[in-house]
Amino acid sequence: MNRIVITEPDAGWTAQFDKVSGIIQKILGSAALRVDHIGSTSVPGLAAKDILDIQATFTAESDLDDAVEQLVAARWEARPPRRDHPVPGLPTDDANWVKRLVVEPMYQRRVNLHLRIAGRANQRYALLFRDYLRAHPDTAAAYGEFKRRAAVLPFGSVGEYADLKDPVCDLIYLPAEEWAKRTGWSA
């Protein structure tokens, strides 16, 4: 059984992202259109697993394969290709949800590096979700409390914890889309 540990917010997560993103940008060079801090550690005041989620954005799927090769050559560990869960009301075709995932080299700062394609639904989702929670601290606090309560449940894998969170994240994301339209938000 895997234990999920949710920690109190750490003001140092931003500085840690800055350091790791510099390393990632050096490895990937201009192939990455952007490198963003995403996930719970990117939202000030939000409790989270002490793992930095970072998204590197690329132009095409062939760029993802090249990026994985470069990262593996720099001792990052590639995970099997996967797809994010489709969100109700967003495109359902697999292309919008495909991603590659690599994790940090052994004995270094815990990182999940998500490699996604610019303009696809899952790339936009990560950025809008983050920005909406940053702009709505009460929603972020409620989400943090959900994660604390969920973390004490018996999970066979971290994937089961993620599966439980998906519909809750969608409940946050759907009003985030309305907020984006109302405010003129763009990634």
Side-chain angles (χ1 to χ4, degrees):
M1 183 173 356
N2 288 333
R3 186 165 180 262
I4 307 298
V5 178
I6 302 297
T7 65
E8 291 304 311
D10 183 340
W13 284 334
T14 300
Q16 293 167 21
F17 162 75
D18 291 341
K19 181 178 179 182
V20 174
S21 70
I23 293 167
I24 292 166
Q25 289 171 328
K26 193 174 283 189
I27 294 168
L28 299 175
S30 61
L33 301 175
R34 57 189 292 164
V35 176
D36 294 287
H37 192 185
I38 61 168
S40 296
T41 61
S42 71
V43 179
L46 180 55
K49 294 186 313 250
D50 190 23
I51 301 170
L52 296 179
D53 279 298
I54 298 175
Q55 176 173 269
T57 301
F58 298 88
T59 304
E61 282 191 49
S62 60
D63 296 334
L64 299 183
D65 294 333
D66 293 343
V68 169
E69 285 181 24
Q70 291 172 305
L71 289 158
V72 167
R75 297 186 15 229
W76 288 67
E77 183 182 330
R79 299 288 196 235
R82 56 185 67 187
R83 74 190 280 280
D84 292 311
H85 81 282
V87 178
L90 295 183
T92 57
D93 61 295
D94 283 345
N96 270 286
W97 304 103
V98 70
K99 75 173 178 183
R100 297 297 304 268
L101 182 70
V102 294
V103 298
E104 76 289 339
M106 192 177 297
Y107 306 115
Q108 292 189 18
R109 172 66 171 102
R110 294 285 320 272
V111 173
N112 288 328
L113 177 57
H114 307 259
L115 309 176
R116 295 183 174 117
I117 305 300
R120 293 206 176 150
N122 62 350
Q123 185 262 348
R124 185 176 183 279
Y125 182 104
L127 300 173
L128 178 53
F129 187 85
R130 174 201 66 195
D131 290 353
Y132 183 78
L133 288 179
R134 285 176 175 175
H136 297 85
D138 291 339
T139 302
Y143 177 51
E145 183 57 26
F146 167 78
K147 293 191 313 170
R148 281 186 190 93
R149 291 181 187 197
V152 301
L153 298 173
F155 292 106
S157 69
V158 174
E160 289 176 11
Y161 170 75
D163 290 344
L164 178 66
K165 285 190 336 178
D166 284 345
V168 173
C169 291
D170 295 347
L171 288 170
I172 295 168
Y173 183 79
L174 295 172
E177 280 288 357
E178 293 175 21
W179 172 78
K181 289 175 191 162
R182 190 173 63 252
T183 63
W185 177 90
S186 66

